[in-house]
């Protein structure tokens, strides 16, 4: 995926290079730079949309959390390229017309395609501002999502601007290729984000069957439907769930399966951490459900070693509980370490103990405050609990701070980073 993205950027730069006309004039120098940064920005917007199109092959192969991080990082590059393109174009026009930047700005905005691009840029800036960590924590998810969706309009306005520019409009083949690239990404977005979830809802008729208390602030939701096995959901994967009731229907919530699919039933286990998760415990049987997925690459396909360590923190146990039951292996091949501040924070404890007894697997509960004197996730402690740790595959899921600390400890304990498989559901 990375190679394809870089190759695409190289092709765009080649398109610019073929059309560039070397000149010692200052205005031509500014214009040439503006053309390159504009083309790369347009290509970057397409990549950002593709990364979030939820194409199953891409989501399964790369991982939803990694795609989200690439999307966030790419957004910064795109905004930087757009800023550079704007400044270079303004400077080039001002030099060419012998005017100041203010006058040049007013003149350029009189062109419809440039006015469209300016509006699109404003929308993208709004997306970037609301996506900044400090701002996003202070805005409602629905507000952030609405602003983020305006990026689609920004992409359309940018496309109008690009078709009017000489780098694209100067050649019919270039116009066709640029238009086909935009059309392809647009079709993928509509198909996988709208058509596929609606089609699945009609085909499988998913409804809440039961809401079961699992402990303080924790519930399991059982969702039944027709032909659920055809979804081909694997242990460790997640869906984006949209419960069609007031207060929940507008938001797709990512929750992993906490048990293998059985009898046309999907199960998720949710801890009340915010407004939406608190409302889930009040769901009623019969509530219709839209489920988009399955997504995620935290599955048995990542396994490369016979021995496996599952390392969970808090409600991050949910995908690992499903893997704990289903990963192939004999006695001693699979070990589960479950980190929590106290016994009350352990989710699905009885199920985990029953699975450990049935398959004769090792199960350890690592209890204690995160700021305690003893760190059960320290390299020495991990090696003592898991003999031959360096020869294991590790599946890791937990709160971001715990996952980062555990990853550092595992690497220091001798586990190669390539064998530490994790998915950060805060980014999913």
């Amino acid at each position: 995926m990375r190679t394809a993205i870089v190759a695409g950027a190289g092709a765009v730069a080649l398109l610019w290079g073929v059309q560039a006309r070397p000149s010692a004039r200052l205005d031509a120098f500014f214009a040439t730079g503006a053309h390159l940064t504009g083309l790369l920005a347009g290509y970057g917007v397409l990549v950002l949309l593709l990364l979030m199109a939820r194409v199953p092959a891409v989501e399964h192969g790369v991982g939803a959390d990694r795609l989200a991080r690439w999307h966030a990082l790419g957004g910064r590059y795109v905004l930087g390229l757009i800023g550079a393109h704007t400044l270079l174009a303004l400077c080039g026009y001002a030099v060419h017309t012998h005017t100041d930047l203010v006058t040049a700005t007013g003149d350029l905005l009189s062109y419809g395609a440039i006015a469209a691009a300016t509006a699109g840029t404003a929308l993208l800036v709004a997306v970037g501002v609301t996506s900044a960590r400090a701002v996003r924590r202070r805005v409602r998810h629905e507000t952030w999502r609405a602003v983020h969706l305006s990026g689609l309009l920004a992409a359309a306005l940018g496309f109008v601007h690009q078709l009017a520019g000489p780098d694209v409009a100067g050649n019919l083949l270039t116009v066709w290729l640029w238009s086909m690239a935009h059309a392809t990404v647009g079709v993928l977005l509509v198909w996988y984000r709208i058509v596929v979830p609606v089609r699945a809802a009609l085909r499988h008729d998913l409804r809440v069957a039961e809401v079961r208390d699992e402990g303080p602030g924790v519930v399991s939701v059982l969702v039944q439907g027709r032909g659920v096995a055809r979804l081909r959901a694997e242990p460790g994967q997640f869906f984006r769930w949209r419960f069609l009731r007031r207060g929940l229907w507008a938001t797709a919530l990512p929750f992993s399966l906490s048990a293998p699919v059985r009898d046309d039933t999907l199960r998720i286990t949710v801890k009340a951490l915010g407004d939406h998760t608190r409302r889930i415990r009040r769901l009623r049987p019969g509530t219709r459900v839209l489920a988009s997925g399955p997504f995620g690459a935290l599955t048995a396909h990542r396994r490369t070693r016979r021995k496996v360590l599952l390392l969970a923190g808090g409600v991050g146990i949910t995908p690992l509980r499903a893997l704990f039951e289903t990963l192939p292996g004999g006695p001693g091949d699979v070990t589960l370490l479950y980190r929590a501040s106290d016994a009350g924070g352990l989710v699905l404890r009885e199920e985990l103990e029953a699975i450990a007894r049935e398959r004769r697997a090792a199960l350890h509960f690592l209890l204690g405050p995160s700021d305690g004197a003893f760190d059960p996730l320290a390299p020495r402690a991990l090696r003592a609990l898991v003999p031959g740790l360096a020869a294991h595959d590790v599946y890791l899921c937990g709160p971001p701070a715990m996952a980062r600390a555990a990853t550092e400890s595992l690497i220091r304990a001798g586990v190669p980073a390539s064998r530490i498989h994790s998915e950060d559901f805060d980014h999913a």
Side-chain angles (χ1 to χ4, degrees), residues 118-142:
T118 303
T121 298
L123 291 174
L124 288 178
V125 169
V127 170
V129 169
T130 55
S131 296
R133 186 173 302 175
V135 177
R136 187 171 178 180
R137 285 198 296 260
R138 291 172 170 80
V139 300
R140 290 172 53 84
H141 179 80
E142 289 81 5

Side-chain angles (χ1 to χ4, degrees), residues 308-309 335 337 364 381-390 392:
V308 176
L309 168 64
T335 300
L337 303 183
H364 301 282
L382 290 174
R383 284 195 296 263
L385 283 169
V386 187
L389 174 61
H392 283 61

Side-chain angles (χ1 to χ4, degrees), residues 184-256:
T184 300
V185 172
V187 168
L188 289 174
L189 281 166
V190 171
W191 183 256
Y192 287 111
R193 297 198 64 141
I194 299 175
V195 176
V196 168
V198 171
R199 184 183 64 177
L202 296 174
R203 174 183 295 172
H204 301 293
D205 190 26
L206 296 176
R207 295 176 184 270
V208 173
E210 181 184 354
V211 179
R212 181 186 303 160
D213 280 325
E214 299 287 3
V218 180
V219 296
S220 285
V221 181
L222 279 68
V223 178
Q224 285 186 328
R226 298 188 303 264
V228 170
R230 291 202 298 270
L231 291 171
R232 298 181 180 177
E234 301 178 46
Q237 291 189 307
F238 69 96
F239 286 78
R240 291 181 173 92
W241 306 86
R242 197 182 294 272
F243 299 97
L244 302 187
R245 58 146 285 177
R246 189 173 64 181
L248 286 174
W249 68 269
T251 303
L253 302 168
F255 296 121
S256 21

Side-chain angles (χ1 to χ4, degrees), residues 276-301:
H276 294 100
T277 48
R278 278 192 290 270
R279 293 186 184 115
I280 285 176
R281 66 184 306 117
R282 297 195 292 271
L283 287 171
R284 295 289 180 263
T287 302
R288 291 193 67 103
V289 182
L290 297 181
S292 177
F295 300 115
L298 196 70
T299 67
H301 296 296

Side-chain angles (χ1 to χ4, degrees), residues 45-55 71 149 151-153 155 181-197:
V45 169
L46 276 183
V47 171
L48 295 181
L49 295 177
L50 177 62
L51 293 177
M52 293 292 100
R54 297 178 185 170
V55 180
H71 179 82
L149 286 175
L152 297 174
L153 176 58
H182 282 75
T184 300
V185 172
V187 168
L188 289 174
L189 281 166
V190 171
W191 183 256
Y192 287 111
R193 297 198 64 141
I194 299 175
V195 176
V196 168

